[in-house]
Amino acid sequence: MNNIKEDVTEMGLDPETWTDAAQDRLSRRGSIDQTDGRLGPGRIRDSAPSRIVNVSSVAHRYHKLDLNDLQCERNFNDWTVYANAKLCNILMTTYLSELLDSTGVTANSVHPGIVATHAFDRLQRSSPWMYAIIMVIVKNFCKTPEQGAQAQIYAACDPDLDGVSGKYFQDCRESRCIAPEAQDMRLAEQLWRKSVDLVKLTKSEINY
């Protein structure tokens, strides 16, 4: 199961103080880098039957993805970068599901919902009034971390999903709230190839 905040922690960094810009850039590359880097050549196919679950967000619908500017160097905006990253998570998972077709390994993405975590704590210093508003929303409308984890657990463990791949889940069911671009296989392949170049994977390091 790939969730970029876990990897930031493993790197010795604090995911709650990690800057939006750095986290989102890492997230865009995370699906391919985590999957290949952790599992090593050949292990994905050898692990069958198994499941890969990538965490995305409904925010992907607000993307402004430009394959010629994946690092958003020409036009950086925190929210746009976040939305782009979440679209990329789904696209990478969609393409991965195609690469692993008929191997017994599935790949799906999930939106855990808006979860009450400490992700907004840094606003307490930089924008106290915004923090106060967000905390009211968080306390009254957001999921607890335990509730937010259910989508990932469902995608990883539910026996009804045996053999199901290339889907996007929310609230423990397949979601229709998905951008058309997230289902564009041509775009997914283009993103995959650019990401392979970005993380400098060699042919021998690609497991598929």
Side-chain angles (χ1 to χ4, degrees):
M1 187 176 298
N2 291 333
N3 187 332
I4 201 65
K5 279 198 173 184
E6 295 175 1
D7 292 270
V8 170
T9 303
E10 289 174 8
M11 291 161 60
L13 301 168
D14 183 353
E16 307 307 342
T17 58
W18 185 247
T19 66
D20 289 337
Q23 182 174 315
D24 292 333
R25 287 188 180 191
L26 187 58
S27 181
R28 284 200 302 278
R29 296 164 59 171
S31 298
I32 190 169
D33 200 22
Q34 288 174 318
T35 302
D36 281 287
R38 283 178 173 171
L39 299 182
R43 291 189 181 179
I44 289 181
R45 291 178 185 273
D46 293 344
S47 70
S50 58
R51 302 179 185 184
I52 296 169
V53 180
N54 286 321
V55 178
S56 183
S57 169
V58 71
H60 80 275
R61 293 173 57 86
Y62 305 100
H63 75 91
K64 294 181 181 178
L65 184 65
D66 180 357
L67 290 180
N68 294 316
D69 186 27
L70 281 178
Q71 305 289 12
C72 294
E73 293 172 334
R74 292 197 296 268
N75 185 22
F76 186 88
N77 173 277
D78 282 357
W79 173 249
T80 299
V81 170
Y82 180 79
N84 288 353
K86 296 310 174 183
L87 173 65
C88 290
N89 289 150
I90 300 175
L91 285 169
M92 300 289 275
T93 307
T94 300
Y95 191 63
L96 183 59
S97 72
E98 288 291 310
L99 293 177
L100 294 171
D101 187 37
S102 302
T103 65
V105 181
T106 61
N108 294 293
S109 52
V110 302
H111 168 51
I114 303 175
V115 182
T117 66
H118 295 288
F120 302 106
D121 282 2
R122 56 182 167 272
L123 286 175
Q124 191 170 11
R125 294 186 298 272
S126 62
S127 184
W129 64 271
M130 178 65 74
Y131 177 78
I133 293 172
I134 289 175
M135 285 302 99
V136 171
I137 297 172
V138 166
K139 289 178 181 178
N140 290 281
F141 300 103
C142 291
K143 295 180 179 180
T144 65
E146 291 77 12
Q147 291 170 331
Q150 297 312 303
Q152 293 97 296
I153 295 171
Y154 169 74
C157 302
D158 195 291
D160 289 342
L161 297 185
D162 286 348
V164 175
S165 193
K167 304 298 183 182
Y168 171 66
F169 295 97
Q170 179 179 353
D171 294 328
C172 297
R173 60 178 180 270
E174 186 176 350
S175 176
R176 296 182 180 179
C177 190
I178 184 170
E181 296 86 351
Q183 299 173 301
D184 185 335
M185 189 55 65
R186 183 170 177 271
L187 179 60
E189 182 177 2
Q190 290 174 329
L191 175 65
W192 182 274
R193 296 188 185 283
K194 282 185 174 288
S195 298
V196 166
D197 291 339
L198 274 173
V199 298
K200 296 180 171 58
L201 286 180
T202 65
K203 190 172 182 179
S204 64
E205 291 175 312
I206 299 175
N207 303 314
Y208 322 111

